Every structure is written in C-alpha cells, then in structure tokens.
Amino acid sequence: MTTEFDSLFGDIGVERFLAEYWQRKPLLIRQAFPNFESPIEPNELAGLSLEEEVESRLVLKDGAHPWELQRGPFPDDTYSRLPERDWTLLVQAVDQFVPEVADLLDRFRFLPTWRIDDIMISYAAPGGGVGPHYDNYDVFLLQGYGKRRWRIGQHCTVDSPLLDHPDLRILADFDCQDEWVLEPGDMLYIPPGIAHDGIAETDCMTISVGFRAPSHQEVLVHFTDYLAHLLSDDERYTDAGISQPQDPAAIDQAAIDRLQQSVLELVSDKEALATWFGRHMTEAKYPELAQAYAGEPEPLMDALNDGIGLCANPAVRLAYWQANDGSLRLFANGEHCVVGSSLLPLVQLICNQRSLPAELLLGWTSEEDAQELLEQLVEKGFLLMER
Ligand code: AKG
C-alpha cells in the first residue's frame, strides 16, 4: 500500500522506514522535500527571538569560552553585535507562531501526533553548532537553507561522559560513524540516544521536528499521582483474617503480597491509565499561549451561519481515545471530556484538521451534543474563530 507520506522517504517508503529505522537507526533522505523553500526567513526567526513569549537560545563558541549559552528574549541590537562565525540561534515551537511552519507537521502525520513536541528552528553562522550531543527524542533534521555538515556517532546513555558545563549537555567523546553535508530539502532522521553534531558550512537554517516519549519515571510519578486523586482516604491496606505473626516486628511475605495485589489492581485500571495518558500527552508546552484565547466568544451558531469556520489554537494539543466499549474521550490541553461515540467523526475532524470550515461544522450542529462540544472548545480558546 502506498501513501501520501511515502515520497518523504524516497525509495524506502513509510512502511519500511517505520519497520527498519524509526527508533532504531539514523537515515539520511536526500531531497525528502524536493525544491524546498524555507517557510521562514532568518530575519523573521531573529525577530521571534526578541519576543517575550518565545523560547530562544544562542549558543556561541569562541576561543575564550569554548561554549556559551545565552537565553532569550534578546535585546534589539543582538544580531548587529554577534561575530561573523561560530554561533547558533535556536527558537523553540516556531510552529505555534508561523502557520507556514506548522503546515510542515502535516507531512509527519504517519506518526502519532500526540508524540510531537514542536518544531525548533536554528539559524547558524558559518562554523556554528550546538556541539555533539544526544537527545531522548526522535528528531527529523530538515535542512531549511544553506549547508550543514552532520556527523552521527555512538549510542549514548545517561552514563555517557559530558563536558563540565552548567547549561549545555555536550558529549565529552564523539565516535564519528558517518557524516554528510545536507542541502535544502535534505532530511536526517536521528533516533533517541544517537550522538549527533551539526556544523554550519555556510550560514544555514535547520528545522528540527521533535517527537517526545514520556520516561517511565514520568509515567509512574504522574499516573500514580492522578490515580491517588481518584481514591478516597477510606480505601486502605486491609489484613482481615490475618494469622498471628511469628515475629510482630517482621514484615512478612503475606503483607507484601497483599500490598502488591492492591497496587497491581490500582494500576491496572486501563480507563484511568488512558485518561491520564491523554491528558498528560496533550498538556500544552506553553500553557499561557494555549489559554490566551479563553473567554466569551461570539455565539458559535451566528459565526458559522456567517460562514466563519473554526481552527485549532496552534498552542493546544488534541487527541482522543476510544475504549473497547465504544466510549470516547477527547483530550485538549491536559483536560478531557467524555463524548458520545456518535461524535467520533467530529472528534476525528477536530483532532486532525487544523482548519474546520463553517460548511463542514454546520452539518454537525443539528446534534445538540456536537454543538455543545464545539461551543465548549471555543469558550476555552482551544478552537478559534477563523477570521
Ligand atoms: C537537534 O534538534 O537535536 C539538533 O541537534 C539541532 C541543532 C541545531 O539545529 O543546531
């Protein structure tokens, strides 16, 4: 079966990419985006780094300070003061500010969208780079413009030695296994844990599409915290029918078995797990941006009848889960609501389509619960009126 995403992987195709490379090994795809033109100019990226609400960093390396990190927002004169070489500007979540950058995410819909972290874009002067490092993320590095030499190295773990630096996680050792110069439209996939190092050959831009994966630590801590809030103080360890202990100071096997049994029963609540997971994975990266549009909007029906459609707030993450019994949960921005299973096609539209034209939605508004759901999402600022 071929899909619209196959072209991204040249001769390899999506199925083979997923089976052989995803989470396993790096892959260079020459001209994944043929005739690629960057959806953002360096000046616009620099402009974003001056803004309060945008997360940005400058990484500089010079003889005196081998690696220096500065955090934005930066003063207006920053770029006139920087040297000609050896620095990189990195701007996070550019997809939330530039719709043409967000459009790139549509090309990655062969992967779960709730795994997406953001699109980070870097601009590097010649010689610039952030140093050899590894991530716990999967990342697609798309060359936006100019040329960058990428080297890939060894598989790393938390035990891999790092340079002694307060802010940057730069590997002390780099065992180069392959290297390529990427040109606009070329894309390099790097799985988690693989050392990589990009150095600008010319001034250049790199577009990083990052896919996060929750750590087991994060899952255990946050899921058990969520579960704990569902329990009442009356639900406790019980040992009715206990036999008299041989040694009252000993915690015996039976006590641990009882405890283990109740812990296993609690954590095996699949509905609670899915509900927590959906909420957790849709928590906004920048909650203040996600909440910026909450309030009393114009009545939905008036807007739709005037031909005004809706669009997803770019700062809001959306996902849904349907249980085996058909019950449906929609997750948005770390919250959830249970909706009737007849609304599945609407929920799918909301989660998959950034733009929802009025004609499409008007077909749904004859159903009261569909209208209520849309109104609620608009009121919370998760869906916005498209002007
Ligand atoms: C990453 O996203 O992991 C990178 O290495 C990108 C660094 C850059 O664009 O300079």
Side-chain angles (χ1 to χ4, degrees), residues 2-314:
T2 58
T3 75
E4 59 180 297
F5 304 108
D6 281 320
S7 61
L8 207 58
F9 296 99
D11 296 341
I12 286 183
V14 172
E15 288 304 322
R16 204 173 136 206
F17 168 75
L18 293 177
E20 289 178 31
Y21 295 90
W22 174 246
Q23 297 247 293
R24 293 195 167 102
K25 49 187 185 185
L27 177 67
L28 170 70
I29 313 124
R30 291 279 181 208
Q31 292 306 291
F33 289 74
N35 309 315
F36 186 66
E37 278 185 30
S38 172
I40 182 167
E41 296 289 323
N43 279 345
E44 286 175 79
L45 195 72
L48 281 176
S49 74
L50 314 182
E51 304 287 337
E52 190 68 43
E53 68 274 24
V54 178
E55 187 184 341
S56 58
R57 291 165 291 161
L58 266 171
V59 177
L60 301 99
K61 88 188 141 131
D62 63 42
H65 303 95
W67 293 102
E68 187 188 329
L69 173 77
Q70 296 175 7
R71 291 184 197 278
F74 298 106
D76 289 357
D77 62 348
T78 304
Y79 297 98
S80 55
R81 287 188 292 106
L82 283 171
E84 285 195 358
R85 294 187 53 87
D86 302 338
W87 57 267
T88 300
L89 163 72
L90 303 118
V91 181
Q92 293 295 147
V94 182
D95 50 305
Q96 301 200 5
F97 303 100
V98 182
E100 293 76 16
V101 171
D103 287 344
L104 285 174
L105 291 173
D106 290 341
R107 302 296 304 274
F108 294 87
R109 287 184 163 272
F110 58 92
L111 289 165
T113 48
W114 46 263
R115 283 270 256 117
I116 294 171
D117 184 31
D118 68 350
I119 296 189
M120 179 187 81
I121 303 190
S122 69
Y123 170 83
V130 298
H133 66 282
Y134 76 94
D135 303 300
N136 289 316
Y137 284 22
D138 299 88
V139 65
F140 293 90
L141 300 165
L142 168 63
Q143 194 60 28
Y145 104 95
K147 292 185 190 179
R148 183 165 229 167
R149 179 176 299 275
W150 280 101
R151 299 186 303 144
I152 51 163
Q154 72 278 20
H155 193 276
C156 303
T157 66
V158 280
D159 298 324
S160 302
L162 300 179
L163 293 187
D164 185 16
H165 196 289
D167 305 308
L168 293 169
R169 292 176 62 252
I170 299 177
L171 289 163
D173 308 311
F174 190 84
D175 174 15
C176 181
Q177 324 231 318
D178 228 327
E179 67 177 86
W180 308 276
V181 174
L182 269 67
E183 301 202 12
D186 292 343
M187 187 166 76
L188 179 59
Y189 163 69
I190 315 249
I194 296 291
H196 53 287
D197 185 22
I199 298 179
E201 297 260 305
T202 65
D203 69 318
C204 70
M205 277 169 70
T206 300
I207 300 172
S208 298
V209 185
F211 287 77
R212 68 218 157 107
S215 67
H216 293 334
Q217 192 182 54
E218 180 184 339
V219 171
L220 268 186
V221 168
H222 294 271
F223 175 47
T224 51
D225 190 51
Y226 174 77
L227 269 183
H229 282 94
L230 301 178
L231 296 172
S232 80
D233 201 39
D234 300 339
E235 291 166 271
R236 283 177 179 253
Y237 172 84
T238 69
D239 52 8
I242 190 177
S243 21
Q244 187 177 329
Q246 281 185 335
D247 177 352
I251 297 174
D252 60 12
Q253 283 309 330
I256 297 301
D257 288 347
R258 266 181 233 114
L259 199 61
Q260 186 182 39
Q261 192 53 37
S262 48
V263 169
L264 290 176
E265 273 167 25
L266 289 168
V267 299
S268 60
D269 181 340
K270 201 165 169 182
E271 192 174 294
L273 180 64
T275 308
W276 165 77
F277 190 63
R279 290 167 62 116
H280 186 71
M281 294 310 283
T282 58
E283 271 172 21
K285 191 172 169 98
Y286 302 104
E288 53 305 339
L289 294 181
Q291 278 148 17
Y293 298 94
E296 275 292 307
E298 166 183 354
L300 176 69
M301 287 311 292
D302 291 356
L304 294 181
N305 284 325
D306 287 347
I308 298 167
L310 301 177
C311 60
N313 176 337

